[in-house]
Amino acid sequence: MTPPLRVGLIGLGNVALAHLEGYRGLDQIQVVAGADPRADRAAMMGARYGFAPFSDYRTMLAEARLDLVAVLSTVVTHREAVEAAAERGLHVLCEKPIAISLDDADRMIDACRRHGVKFLYGSSYRFLPPVAKARELIRAGTIGEVRLLTETFIGGHGPAGYHDMGTHHYPAGGPGGSGNGLVDHGIHLVDIFPWLIGSEITAVSGRGQRSGATPMAEYMAMEFRSGALGHLVYDDATWSTDLPSEGLFSWGPTWDQMAAGEAGDRGGQWQQHPGSIRVYGSEGALRIFHYANLLFLRTKAGITQVPVSGRPMPGQFGAEMASLAASIREDRPVDIPAEAGRRALEAVLGAYRSMETGERVRLEPGSPS
Ligand SMILES: NC(=O)c1ccc[n+]([C@@H]2O[C@H](COP(=O)([O-])OP(=O)(O)OC[C@H]3O[C@@H](n4cnc5c(N)ncnc54)[C@H](O)[C@@H]3O)[C@@H](O)[C@H]2O)c1
């Protein structure tokens, strides 16, 4: 039997936990080492998941006999970590956003190309079962021609409860804000929208949060070559108007049934992750509850719940890692090229630029995804 690929993790914060949980059951890889400058955290994670802890990733790269690394560290450190791994001939999975600047992204892509290593962009949403199924339906023409894709995330506990990702992720004054904002979260959607509909973004406009600044509402509009429009709206420094059970609002019992005690155990419970993505077409629409692992299709025939297969959150991180491992074993191109991460960053930074110029920003043709 082929021995598992030896994986090292760079960065052992929040998302590393989700990755490690998602990797459970994968026999093609083994996490043998992990590095984080917070030595206590590295030791705790190493003991819990059975890998060698390091406080400096360069020492780990030199000593741990790795095949590949997953770069899960603060955003500002992605470039140096990817370059260091590539220089040692190690394949790379890098979390989103790929980097904080296009120059950094170019340097990372160039380093991996020069050293002949694979570079998978960690667009984990592509591996969420209802998102993947939605793409299948869209590509099969189930909702006709896609006209609009949207995601809105509003809600927190006012400005006092707002949690900035911090200047250790995003340097002060540059793109930043919260983990539910445009550059850190919206970039997921900026990657999957063109991938879902098979049409590239041609122009963007918007308004984005700066790292360390007073929070404000953010938005981004994307125009696609097909004529479709993408729209994102984020503000988690205000209060949500979501109602209990709204995550299943279109599916659960009616308010009357609930009030009359006729709902039984049919739906109606609060979903832990009620966030959703909406896709509207000329012949139908899709509602994707990406973390609740639900997918609904509406056509003139009515509303149906579409079965999805695959592991829900945090399974997407396992699927992502399995995808990189397979491309290494089979020596074929990765499923999500680093250029897709660069393209998504280019689009988001374009929205920031439009805020300064007051004009829409056109993107050069050439989507890689
Ligand atoms: N795909 C997803 O759904 C998803 C979800 C959350 C976060 N993320 C991304 O994952 C990355 C990490 O986010 P997080 O939420 O885990 O942040 P975090 O702040 O919880 O953890 C980041 C970790 O990186 C460590 N670090 C800093 N400098 C380092 C260095 N030089 N070498 C090694 N480690 C270093 C920090 O000590 C910290 O433990 C970000 O790019 C973020 O956007 C992705």
Side-chain angles (χ1 to χ4, degrees):
M1 205 185 106
T2 329
L5 294 166
R6 294 170 62 85
V7 177
L9 306 184
I10 298 180
L12 297 169
N14 288 327
V15 89
L17 267 175
H19 274 256
L20 286 160
E21 290 300 322
Y23 299 168
R24 282 186 194 279
L26 292 186
D27 53 13
Q28 55 275 56
I29 61 126
Q30 184 186 357
V31 177
V32 296
D36 197 297
R38 295 188 289 157
D40 289 357
R41 172 85 180 176
M44 183 278 284
M45 295 282 276
R48 186 158 156 189
Y49 290 96
F51 60 74
F54 291 84
S55 56
D56 179 347
Y57 73 81
R58 290 181 188 275
T59 312
M60 175 182 83
L61 298 182
E63 295 179 2
R65 294 186 296 112
L66 303 172
D67 295 305
L68 70 124
V69 297
V71 176
L72 316 176
S73 49
T74 47
V75 181
V76 74
T77 61
H78 287 184
R79 178 186 53 76
E80 56 166 54
V82 169
E83 283 181 335
E87 277 160 22
R88 289 198 167 265
L90 304 178
H91 304 289
V92 175
L93 182 164
C94 179
E95 263 296 351
K96 47 58 46 174
I98 186 170
I100 53 165
S101 71
L102 292 178
D103 185 50
D104 277 4
D106 287 338
R107 288 170 63 179
M108 295 156 80
I109 293 169
D110 183 55
C112 289
R113 197 172 289 144
R114 269 188 294 114
H115 294 283
V117 299
K118 299 194 189 297
F119 185 168
L120 179 93
Y121 172 56
S123 177
S124 51
Y125 273 37
R126 295 198 194 191
F127 295 98
L128 286 165
V131 175
K133 185 68 187 175
R135 180 171 187 261
E136 221 180 282
L137 295 178
I138 292 167
R139 296 299 183 100
T142 311
I143 60 168
E145 195 179 318
V146 172
R147 301 164 55 87
L148 178 63
L149 306 100
T150 75
E151 188 198 51
T152 301
F153 182 93
I154 315 279
H157 297 91
Y162 179 78
H163 179 65
D164 196 302
M165 284 286 284
T167 51
H168 59 301
H169 273 281
Y170 294 99
S178 89
N180 293 318
L182 192 55
V183 69
D184 202 73
H185 166 74
I187 203 149
H188 277 300
L189 290 302
V190 175
D191 175 72
I192 64 164
F193 281 0
W195 176 78
L196 283 170
I197 65 173
S199 181
E200 67 178 347
I201 301 171
T202 54
V204 295
S205 52
R207 181 171 105 166
Q209 182 71 37
R210 302 246 176 232
S211 181
T214 308
M216 63 175 183
E218 303 176 280
Y219 82 94
M220 177 167 170
M222 289 159 258
E223 295 169 44
F224 294 90
R225 188 165 302 288
S226 66
L229 187 73
H231 195 231
L232 307 173
V233 181
Y234 302 121
D235 190 345
D236 59 352
T238 182
W239 299 81
S240 168
T241 56
D242 287 352
L243 301 171
S245 83
E246 196 158 36
L248 290 175
F249 199 64
S250 59
W251 188 247
T254 66
W255 289 107
D256 287 346
Q257 286 172 311
M258 287 178 75
E262 294 164 1
D265 60 359
R266 289 178 301 128
Q269 77 273 31
W270 174 253
Q271 285 289 326
Q272 198 187 350
H273 296 292
S276 72
I277 302 160
R278 298 164 196 251
V279 187
Y280 301 93
S282 55
E283 289 169 34
L286 289 165
R287 184 91 180 267
I288 309 167
F289 291 92
H290 45 285
Y291 283 145
N293 209 35
L294 297 167
L295 178 63
F296 295 91
L297 166 68
R298 178 162 202 158
T299 62
K300 64 181 177 206
I303 299 176
T304 47
Q305 183 177 358
V306 181
V308 295
S309 57
R311 287 174 63 207
M313 165 79 178
Q316 75 271 28
F317 298 111
E320 184 177 88
M321 178 53 87
S323 148
L324 175 58
S327 66
I328 294 169
R329 289 279 192 230
E330 295 159 21
D331 196 18
R332 61 166 170 80
V334 293
D335 290 326
I336 313 177
E339 287 80 0
R342 186 196 189 279
R343 182 69 171 185
L345 182 65
E346 183 187 9
V348 171
L349 295 180
Y352 274 85
R353 203 157 75 247
S354 87
M355 173 169 70
E356 282 150 21
T357 63
E359 289 178 5
R360 285 157 64 236
V361 170
R362 289 184 191 284
L363 303 190
E364 293 295 320
S367 174
S369 58

